[in-house]
Amino acid sequence: MDSASPTPGERWESTRRQFMKVLTFILGTVMAAVLAVPFVSSLFGPALRRKNVHWTRVGKLPVLGSGHPTKISFTDMVEDAYLRENVTRDVWIVKLPSGGLTAFSPICPHLGCHYNWDAASGHFVCPCHGSVFALDGAVLGGPTPRPLDTLPVKIENGELYIGWERFEPGISRKIRV
Amino acid sequence: MLTRLGKWINKRWPLSDLIRLGLEEEILGGSSYAYVFGSLLLFTFAIQAATGVWQLFYYVPTVQHAYDSVNYLRTEVPFGWLIHGLHYWGANAMVILLLCHAIRVFTWAAYKNPRELTWLAGVGLFLITLAMSFTGAPLPWDERGYWATEVGTSIAGTVPFIGNLTKQLMRGGETMGQLALSRMFVLHIAIIPGALFAMVGIHLVAFRRNGSVGPWDEAKRARKGQFWPDQLFKDTLSCTILFIILIALVVLAPPPFAGPADPLDTLYTPKPEWNFLFLYESLKFFPGKLEPVGTVGIPALGILVLVLLPFFDRKAEHSPGRRLRAMSLGALAILGLIVLTIVGYYSKPGAGQKKGETSPAASIAQTKNISMGRTLFQSQGCAGCHRVNGSGGNVGPNLSGEGMKGRSMKWLRTQLRSPKAHDPQSVMPAFSALAAQQIDQLADYLLSLKSESAPAVGGASSGATAGSSAAAANVAARVPGKAAFIIGSAEHGALLFEKNCVKCHGPRGTDHVSNPGSTDLMVPALNPIDRSLYNISPKLFATTIDLIIQHGSHPAGPHPVLHMPAFGDTQSLTQEEISDLEAYILNLNGVNRGEITHPGLQPRIFLGAVAGIFALVMVAALGMYFLRKSSGTGKKNS
């Protein structure tokens, strides 16, 4: 057998083998790619998911008086992937002169204390550093850098829903934590 | 041939030797599709390793959260369904491929000198794979895996002398719990895979040393083929087909949601995984004292035969036609394995293993039990704390109406044995020293107490407790239970429905059972359910009906005879059971509790895309092939 000039049969055999090599590589690569895409997106999916306002049903809307706020406690479910925990939260509900509702986070925007309603003066007063807020949340005095933080609130079928959020304390802008 | 980088590495590390070891082998008789099973196993193993590691990004091995974490991966992580499903079907494929591989090797007599070590490592891999299958099953902590492991470890417990120790070592205690799960987890993801990797290495190196055994027909052995690319091409093509089959199985036959593990479940039929059914079934031939023959004797004998095979069967003969004795014995063993598996699949566990409280014989003995229970109630000092029909202490709750609270036998048993299981603050002593029979008698007695106007649940009590409308309003304010967030098993829920709900809601929730005294005069139908409760989102739907199942509800109306018991609040159903019921009720209304909310790509579309891509590749490749062939032959002719 002369190795210098391969017969057509030998040449075809080498082409056939070359073809098998290439196709083996291609099939392997395609399989790897078909798996790689789902594998990578399984990590990206939850990581890039944006949390929407999550509405918590508080219950039947209580009778609200005008001129003073009403403190409402409700159970909020905190979800972290497949973990869930029930947490009790408070909000201040104020009936607006227009007839609408405002919900205030119970956390003072100054340094995160829980403020109170002072019925005598008709103001919200923070016991920690003496920030004072009006019934509509406006700043009346003290070190607070911004008014009380409002929370999303809605009424559906006579039931109150709150979208609980927390905000960065101590700065003038209201930024979600 | 080597690139510069390859040359650089090769000077410092035996890269080309390794490639040569992996690819260079002369195959007597040429490559063959009969030889692909080993590669298919290696390929499946790679898929198992990759999908296994990836699942760890989401899975946690705790009794509390394992089931939820797996279901989070399956329904809320893009392609989580694919990753989990491939692992599930890959595991099943592995056992089948293993059998095919073993049959192939046996038929070709490839275990004979000088390939004994390859065979032994193969036997090791067989056992390791079964161990992987066994330890993997309980990890999702669902009904299926839990009970398979419960039965499996119990089988280990029947081994004489060391059985009980082995069982407790596997479980990390007397009963299955967190320690059992942790042990199975570490074995499954660290220790056994380590052994598997090592054994695969030994198996492959041993295989390369002597190569494929080749055809037994001398004439055919003259032809010679190469592993690369001839055999590897056939292997890759087979792997591709297997790959598509696996994806198709994941899409078209996804693993079921078996419901969360419930150790107190009396309705579930505990059975091992299918690949252990042969063992489970063979045990039935050895009742009583002979049991160890089935549990240790036969498996040990089987392993011994496999290990010693190459040393007993030493004739150099390879042709199956001239090895009739070996071939018929092998065929008999395989046939036995298959028959036992099929019989095991269709068999029900032996009678007496699980006697539910619904057994008709039980009701005859009931009256006797009640009187025995009454005696116990006095002799055990229960009356010191609990008041019954006007006499007894006031420390504990009045039990006069205990039989009307909708308590289950199971609940009472637990309450008597370990009251803190229901209420950690409970001051009631645990009557753990009582025999099971005595506990049952006490429970029967308590269930017979139906007098006085103790708050009734589900019973016919006119003039119910508080005002109905107030109670109904209360429901809305209450929070859903744990069950609302668990993906239950609709199949198991159907059984529970039959047992707990059918009386008022009718079979499949369709019947209109009358409820005099309520405004609607009817018990609300569940199929189809009231539109205000229905939701297309399985999570929201489950949460809505969960409130009613957990806390009960009082129908509007002057004096409704029937009202919905608070199955969750009274703990007459476990949260696991409630989740199964919810899955069933959703199912009745055409909503799948296990719906994939974040699929990445809809499974069927993904399957179509994968099939399309591979079809395209093959069409292009074959087109090129025939084009070259025709041009090649054209040259030859000229």
Side-chain angles (χ1 to χ4, degrees):
Chain A
M1 207 185 279
D2 193 357
S3 60
S5 57
T7 65
E10 279 172 345
R11 211 183 307 132
W12 168 241
E13 181 59 21
S14 110
T15 312
R16 203 177 65 91
R17 294 205 147 177
Q18 195 58 36
F19 168 80
M20 285 198 287
K21 285 181 183 177
V22 171
L23 193 53
T24 300
F25 268 118
I26 291 177
L27 286 177
T29 313
V30 172
M31 277 193 277
V34 163
L35 280 191
V37 171
F39 272 53
V40 170
S41 50
S42 77
L43 296 185
F44 271 99
L48 302 182
R49 211 168 286 163
R50 198 165 154 62
K51 267 194 181 166
N52 297 322
V53 177
H54 91 113
W55 292 102
T56 305
R57 181 162 69 175
V58 176
K60 281 243 182 307
L61 185 64
V63 184
L64 300 172
S66 51
H68 64 87
T70 308
K71 193 175 191 174
I72 292 184
S73 296
F74 64 99
T75 310
D76 184 23
M77 173 141 359
V78 183
E79 273 192 74
D80 177 12
Y82 41 82
L83 304 179
R84 279 170 198 89
E85 198 186 353
N86 285 321
V87 181
T88 305
R89 307 210 187 276
D90 301 324
V91 283
W92 289 99
I93 306 281
V94 174
K95 198 174 171 183
L96 298 175
S98 62
L101 288 182
T102 300
F104 290 120
S105 162
I107 298 160
C108 177
H110 174 222
L111 286 176
C113 287
H114 278 67
Y115 56 82
N116 304 312
W117 172 251
D118 180 33
S121 64
H123 298 143
F124 290 108
V125 178
C126 183
C128 293
H129 307 96
S131 294
V132 183
F133 307 90
L135 187 60
D136 65 355
V139 180
L140 296 177
T144 179
R146 63 168 190 261
L148 289 180
D149 297 319
T150 54
L151 295 174
V153 59
K154 68 175 180 185
I155 296 169
E156 260 175 30
N157 305 324
E159 288 185 325
L160 181 66
Y161 288 79
I162 302 259
W164 176 265
E165 285 170 336
R166 284 196 72 144
F167 306 95
E168 206 76 60
I171 53 174
S172 59
R173 275 172 56 217
K174 180 182 166 190
I175 297 169
R176 226 164 85 171
V177 202
Chain B
M1 169 154 176
L2 281 176
T3 61
R4 269 181 69 181
L5 179 67
K7 273 185 187 152
W8 188 88
I9 296 173
N10 215 34
K11 234 179 197 169
R12 291 150 182 90
W13 202 77
L15 181 66
S16 61
D17 293 344
L18 215 64
I19 293 175
R20 212 174 300 132
L21 179 71
L23 296 181
E24 279 185 16
E25 183 203 315
E26 198 162 68
I27 301 175
L28 292 176
S31 62
S32 163
Y33 280 102
Y35 304 160
V36 299
F37 292 109
S39 293
L40 285 178
L41 275 165
L42 194 61
F43 173 74
T44 318
F45 174 50
I47 289 186
Q48 293 305 94
T51 52
V53 168
W54 233 250
Q55 289 189 96
L56 291 178
F57 277 115
Y58 294 97
Y59 174 77
V60 287
T62 71
V63 170
Q64 301 279 340
H65 300 300
Y67 185 69
D68 291 340
S69 69
V70 171
N71 290 342
Y72 178 79
L73 169 71
R74 291 182 64 180
T75 59
E76 296 190 40
V77 172
F79 296 106
W81 56 270
L82 177 69
I83 292 165
H84 172 266
L86 277 178
H87 202 73
Y88 174 89
W89 278 113
N92 286 315
M94 203 123 177
V95 177
I96 294 170
L97 289 170
L98 208 72
L99 206 62
C100 296
H101 188 50
I103 291 172
R104 208 289 289 172
V105 166
F106 185 81
T107 311
W108 266 251
Y111 52 86
K112 291 187 174 180
N113 183 13
R115 296 180 178 82
E116 297 97 325
L117 204 56
T118 319
W119 171 261
L120 287 179
V123 172
L125 283 169
F126 169 69
L127 297 176
I128 286 172
T129 307
L130 286 185
M132 281 303 265
S133 168
F134 182 76
T135 53
L139 297 189
W141 211 247
D142 56 0
E143 287 274 86
R144 223 179 128 107
Y146 176 87
W147 288 107
T149 311
E150 167 81 33
V151 177
T153 49
S154 295
I155 289 177
T158 62
V159 176
F161 309 116
I162 54 159
N164 215 31
L165 184 70
T166 312
K167 181 178 86 179
Q168 293 199 15
L169 207 58
M170 283 160 109
R171 291 183 177 180
E174 289 195 336
T175 51
M176 293 256 299
Q178 180 57 53
L179 294 183
L181 178 55
S182 293
R183 278 163 199 228
M184 296 296 167
F185 175 68
V186 173
L187 285 171
H188 189 79
I189 70 138
I191 294 173
I192 305 176
L196 185 47
F197 269 110
M199 206 59 99
V200 166
I202 294 172
H203 192 65
L204 288 183
V205 172
F207 168 67
R208 269 291 180 270
R209 169 135 289 189
N210 293 296
S212 193
V213 69
W216 49 82
D217 190 346
E218 276 305 326
K220 283 184 188 162
R221 291 171 76 86
R223 230 190 98 219
K224 290 202 169 54
Q226 293 297 322
F227 180 76
W228 170 247
D230 306 17
Q231 184 62 44
L232 198 54
F233 172 71
K234 290 189 165 106
D235 289 353
T236 309
L237 207 58
S238 310
C239 287
T240 308
I241 293 166
L242 175 69
F243 185 66
I244 296 171
I245 291 175
L246 283 178
I247 290 177
L249 281 169
V250 173
V251 171
L252 304 175
F257 289 90
D262 185 358
L264 299 173
D265 197 340
T266 52
L267 293 175
Y268 194 79
T269 311
K271 260 190 189 184
E273 287 290 300
W274 68 269
N275 45 349
F276 291 107
L277 281 176
F278 73 94
L279 185 58
Y280 162 82
E281 196 54 35
S282 69
L283 292 188
K284 294 185 183 166
F285 294 109
F286 306 99
K289 277 194 168 168
L290 288 176
E291 205 175 35
V293 178
T295 50
V296 222
I298 290 184
L301 193 73
I303 295 167
L304 202 69
V305 167
L306 288 177
V307 168
L308 294 181
L309 179 67
F311 307 104
F312 263 102
D313 187 12
R314 296 172 68 155
K315 260 187 262 161
E317 185 56 61
H318 282 253
S319 165
R322 269 169 261 141
R323 291 163 49 233
L324 283 179
R325 203 173 42 180
M327 285 307 290
S328 45
L329 281 177
L332 211 65
I334 298 287
L335 198 71
L337 217 58
I338 293 172
V339 168
L340 281 175
T341 302
I342 294 173
V343 173
Y345 183 81
Y346 286 106
S347 79
K348 295 254 183 316
Q353 196 171 345
K354 287 255 157 195
K355 226 177 222 167
E357 47 262 43
T358 44
S359 151
S363 63
I364 303 167
Q366 197 87 341
T367 10
K368 196 179 151 210
N369 272 357
I370 291 171
S371 74
M372 296 291 284
R374 186 182 296 121
T375 317
L376 278 168
F377 192 82
Q378 297 301 329
S379 65
Q380 293 294 319
C382 306
C385 295
H386 294 285
R387 183 172 284 265
V388 172
N389 298 339
S391 70
N394 275 324
V395 178
N398 186 330
L399 299 179
S400 309
E402 192 64 11
M404 297 165 77
K405 289 182 187 164
R407 307 269 201 228
S408 66
M409 196 70 182
K410 191 169 75 191
W411 189 93
L412 284 167
R413 279 191 201 122
T414 313
Q415 177 67 25
L416 291 165
R417 283 238 182 269
S418 48
K420 286 199 178 359
H422 290 148
D423 175 12
Q425 311 288 316
S426 173
V427 293
M428 175 169 156
F431 289 87
S432 43
L434 289 178
Q437 200 191 359
Q438 291 176 304
I439 291 281
D440 283 4
Q441 288 165 347
L442 262 175
D444 275 335
Y445 169 64
L446 291 172
L447 286 175
S448 75
L449 298 173
K450 290 178 176 171
S451 59
E452 286 192 12
S453 56
V457 176
S461 75
S462 53
T465 47
S468 316
S469 58
N474 214 4
V475 168
R478 281 188 256 184
V479 289
K482 219 180 98 197
F485 308 100
I486 304 174
I487 300 180
S489 151
E491 199 187 327
H492 194 50
L495 297 177
L496 289 162
F497 191 87
E498 199 61 39
K499 197 178 159 212
N500 298 288
C501 318
V502 125
K503 247 184 265 166
C504 294
H505 290 290
R508 294 178 56 81
T510 48
D511 256 23
H512 296 281
V513 178
S514 71
N515 187 9
S518 68
T519 313
D520 295 340
L521 298 172
M522 290 283 178
V523 176
L526 298 181
N527 176 19
I529 204 164
D530 190 284
R531 284 291 104 177
S532 69
L533 300 174
Y534 177 86
N535 201 306
I536 195 151
S537 145
K539 254 187 174 175
L540 294 176
F541 194 169
T543 310
T544 319
I545 59 170
D546 183 75
L547 289 169
I548 300 169
I549 301 176
Q550 300 282 357
H551 311 302
S553 91
H554 289 258
H559 299 293
V561 169
L562 299 170
H563 57 160
M564 173 82 181
F567 285 105
D569 291 346
T570 59
Q571 288 172 308
S572 41
L573 287 176
T574 61
Q575 292 299 312
E576 288 82 9
E577 289 172 324
I578 294 178
S579 75
D580 292 335
L581 272 172
E582 284 163 7
Y584 177 64
I585 296 168
L586 260 62
N587 205 16
L588 289 179
N589 288 281
V591 175
N592 175 9
R593 182 65 187 91
E595 191 191 79
I596 304 171
T597 46
H598 294 86
L601 205 61
Q602 282 300 336
R604 276 162 199 275
I605 297 175
F606 180 77
L607 178 62
V610 169
I613 290 170
F614 280 107
L616 216 65
V617 169
M618 287 316 288
V619 166
L622 286 176
M624 295 275 280
Y625 180 80
F626 285 114
L627 216 66
R628 288 293 288 274
K629 197 173 183 180
S630 62
S631 71
T633 44
K635 262 181 216 160
K636 199 165 78 177
N637 288 345
S638 63

